[in-house]
């Protein structure tokens, strides 16, 4: 298991890089990595911090109830959602971005539905996907300011889509994860690429997703 210092440094670097890509502007987005599993401890960005210039000191350790057990400040409001993703998937790292393309794409899916992405070479960047002939279902969960409810809805969507590599919160953003931070980062890059491709190609086709 990596140390708190190591994970804090990696999360801060990654957060600045995601800010630079325009995928989590201002204080939006939050990032976490599992520090230990028994008991569960998560290193996570603190609430309200601008992601431009994110520093290792902006990270906290929370327990499985989302309570801060190390570090200064308040954990991100979405900490319970990160914990839900870790429970549902066994992930070692969880990344949450608010990009233009993930926000736009999240709005098109029906309630309880998902965004389907198929046929792109870039899908092979997702864990255990070996061919472009893969159909990725990205579940879309309704947004809410009740984060306990959001965490339950996210866990339910992930139990309905155990093969998913990410999910969208409607009008809000992407959650993706990986066995470790490197894999989670790769998944953000793959999804943000695919979301832009799908959004642009739908717009070019007249803004409709099939449906005649
Ligand atoms: Zn968010």
């Amino acid at each position: 298991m990596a140390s708190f210092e190591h994970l804090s440094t990696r999360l801060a670097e990654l957060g600045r890089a995601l800010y630079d890509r325009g995928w989590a502007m201002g204080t939006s987005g939050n990032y976490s990595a599992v520090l230990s599993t028994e008991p569960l401890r998560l290193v996570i960005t603190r609430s309200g911090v601008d992601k431009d210039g994110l520093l290792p000191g902006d990270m906290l350790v929370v327990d499985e109830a989302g309570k801060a057990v190390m570090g200064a400040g308040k954990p991100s409001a979405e900490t319970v959602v990160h914990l839900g993703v870790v429970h549902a998937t066994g992930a070692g790292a969880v990344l949450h971005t608010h990009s233009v393309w993930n926000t736009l794409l999240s709005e098109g899916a029906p309630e309880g539905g998902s965004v389907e992405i198929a046929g792109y070479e870039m899908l092979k960047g997702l864990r255990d996907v070996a061919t472009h002939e893969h159909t990725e279902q990205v579940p879309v969960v309704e947004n809410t300011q009740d984060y306990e409810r959001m965490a339950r809805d996210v866990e339910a969507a992930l139990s309905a889509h155990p093969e998913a590599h990410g999910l969208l919160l409607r009008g809000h953003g992407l959650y993706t994860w990986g066995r470790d931070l490197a894999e989670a980062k790769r998944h953000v890059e793959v999804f943000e690429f695919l979301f832009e491709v799908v959004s642009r190609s739908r717009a070019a086709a007249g803004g409709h997703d099939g449906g005649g």
Side-chain angles (χ1 to χ4, degrees):
M1 277 283 169
S3 68
F4 173 60
E5 288 69 26
H6 175 76
L7 291 176
S8 299
T9 302
R10 290 282 320 279
L11 284 165
E13 283 167 4
L14 187 54
R16 294 194 301 270
L18 297 176
Y19 176 92
D20 288 341
R21 298 298 300 268
W23 294 338
M25 305 309 287
T27 59
S28 74
N30 33 71
Y31 315 118
S32 70
V34 173
L35 179 63
S36 68
T37 51
E38 303 260 341
L40 181 62
R41 294 287 181 268
L42 208 60
V43 181
I44 191 163
T45 40
R46 69 180 169 85
S47 180
V49 61
D50 202 312
K51 300 306 183 295
D52 179 20
L54 193 64
L55 295 170
D58 294 320
M59 307 300 156
L60 300 169
V61 178
V62 296
D63 65 14
E64 55 207 323
K67 188 170 151 289
V69 294
M70 191 198 293
K74 218 158 62 77
S76 162
E78 287 181 57
T79 296
V80 285
V81 183
H82 285 248
L83 289 165
V85 171
V86 169
H87 281 143
T89 66
V94 181
L95 302 176
H96 169 52
T97 52
H98 292 199
S99 73
V100 171
W101 297 112
N102 71 37
T103 301
L104 279 174
L105 200 57
S106 71
E107 296 190 310
E111 190 160 347
S114 58
V115 172
E116 189 174 293
I117 306 175
Y120 294 106
E121 182 70 12
M122 200 61 167
L123 287 162
K124 288 163 61 184
L126 300 174
R127 185 176 80 203
D128 294 336
V129 174
T131 168
H132 67 284
E133 293 172 344
H134 167 78
T135 299
E136 182 72 13
Q137 299 281 356
V138 186
V140 178
V141 171
E142 299 307 311
N143 196 30
T144 173
Q145 301 304 313
D146 177 347
Y147 295 105
E148 297 285 346
R149 180 180 154 195
M150 183 186 284
R152 288 196 300 275
D153 291 349
V154 162
E155 287 201 60
L158 293 180
S159 77
H161 293 269
E163 70 300 333
H165 298 84
L167 68 84
L168 288 163
L169 297 173
R170 191 185 305 281
H172 178 160
L174 166 71
Y175 269 87
T176 187
W177 51 86
R179 278 173 294 201
D180 53 24
L181 270 172
E183 187 173 85
K185 169 180 175 282
R186 195 178 80 230
H187 286 171
V188 172
E189 291 176 343
V190 167
F191 276 124
E192 294 294 356
F193 174 95
L194 290 168
F195 293 158
E196 181 169 351
V197 168
V198 171
S199 294
R200 285 183 186 271
S201 71
R202 285 184 185 180
H208 296 290
D209 174 23

